[in-house]
C-alpha cells in the first residue's frame, strides 16, 4: 500500500485527475488532494497537475508554500507532471515577456505563435492547441508500457516545452512544430497532454504510474 499526493495549488481540474487515479489505483492505495507541503513530502508518489498560465502557477506555488516541496518531490520520489505541471519544471516561460519557473531542467517554454501553420499543408492552426493528437514515443519507459507509439491523447495548451537536453525527451507531437510532449529523467515523468481526459491510453499511463518504482 502507498499514498499518492496530488498537489493542489488552486489551479487545474483536480477532481478529474483524482477520479482517474482512484479508478486505476491498486487496492489499498490512497489518493489524496493536498495543498500541505508536509503531506506532499510524506507521500510515496506525487502528481503535479495544472492548467492556465505559468505566472499564476508560480505565484500560487509560492502563496501556498509549495515551491520547495515540489522541487524535493521531483528529486526524491516517483513524480508525474501534467500540462502546466510539466512546463514549469523548466527554467522559464516566454509568457508575458519571460516568467522564471522552477528551473529543475534547463530549457524554455515557447509560444506556438498567434498564427501558426501546418508545416506540411500550410493550413492555419488554432491556438490553443486543443483536441486529440498523437504522441510518438522516442524511447522506452515504464510509463509507456502497453501504450502504442502514436497513441492519441487530449491536449489543451498554447505553449510547449523546449528542453535543452535531447536526452530528456520521451515523446514528441506535431502541431506547427515537432515539440517535446513528454519528458523523463530518473524518477520524473512529465507529459503535456491530460491523461485523465485521454480515454484508455491515458488511464493506462496513470495505472503505470501508480505501479512505477521511479526507475527508468
Amino acid at each position: 500500500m502507498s499514498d499518492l499526493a496530488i498537489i493542489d495549488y488552486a489551479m487545474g481540474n483536480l477532481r478529474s485527475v483524482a477520479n482517474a487515479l482512484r479508478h486505476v489505483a491498486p487496492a489499498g492505495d490512497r489518493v489524496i488532494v493536498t495543498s500541505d507541503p508536509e503531506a506532499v513530502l510524506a507521500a510515496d508518489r506525487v502528481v503535479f497537475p495544472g492548467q492556465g498560465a505559468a505566472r499564476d502557477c508560480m505565484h500560487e506555488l509560492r502563496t501556498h508554500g509549495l515551491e520547495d516541496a515540489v522541487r524535493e518531490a521531483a528529486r526524491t520520489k516517483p513524480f508525474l507532471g501534467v500540462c502546466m505541471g510539466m512546463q514549469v519544471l523548466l527554467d522559464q516561460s516566454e509568457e508575458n515577456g519571460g516568467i522564471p519557473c522552477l528551473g529543475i531542467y534547463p530549457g524554455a517554454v515557447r509560444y506556438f505563435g498567434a498564427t501558426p501553420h501546418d508545416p506540411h499543408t500550410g493550413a492555419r492552426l488554432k491556438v490553443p492547441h486543443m483536441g486529440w493528437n498523437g504522441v510518438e514515443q522516442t524511447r522506452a519507459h515504464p510509463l509507456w508500457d502497453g501504450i502504442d507509439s502514436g497513441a492519441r491523447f487530449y491536449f489543451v495548451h498554447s505553449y510547449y516545452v523546449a528542453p535543452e537536453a535531447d536526452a530528456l525527451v520521451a515523446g514528441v507531437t506535431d502541431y506547427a512544430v515537432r515539440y517535446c510532449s513528454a519528458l523523463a529523467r530518473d524518477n520524473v515523468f512529465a507529459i503535456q497532454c491530460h491523461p485523465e481526459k485521454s480515454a484508455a491510453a491515458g488511464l493506462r499511463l496513470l495505472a503505470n504510474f501508480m505501479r512505477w518504482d521511479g526507475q527508468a
Side-chain angles (χ1 to χ4, degrees), residues 8-19:
D8 178 6
Y9 56 102
M11 292 181 67
N13 187 353
L14 299 179
R15 179 178 295 180
S16 293
V17 176
N19 286 343

Side-chain angles (χ1 to χ4, degrees), residues 188-200:
V188 173
F189 188 95
I191 193 160
Q192 180 62 62
C193 69
H194 289 272
E196 76 279 7
K197 299 180 180 179
S198 297

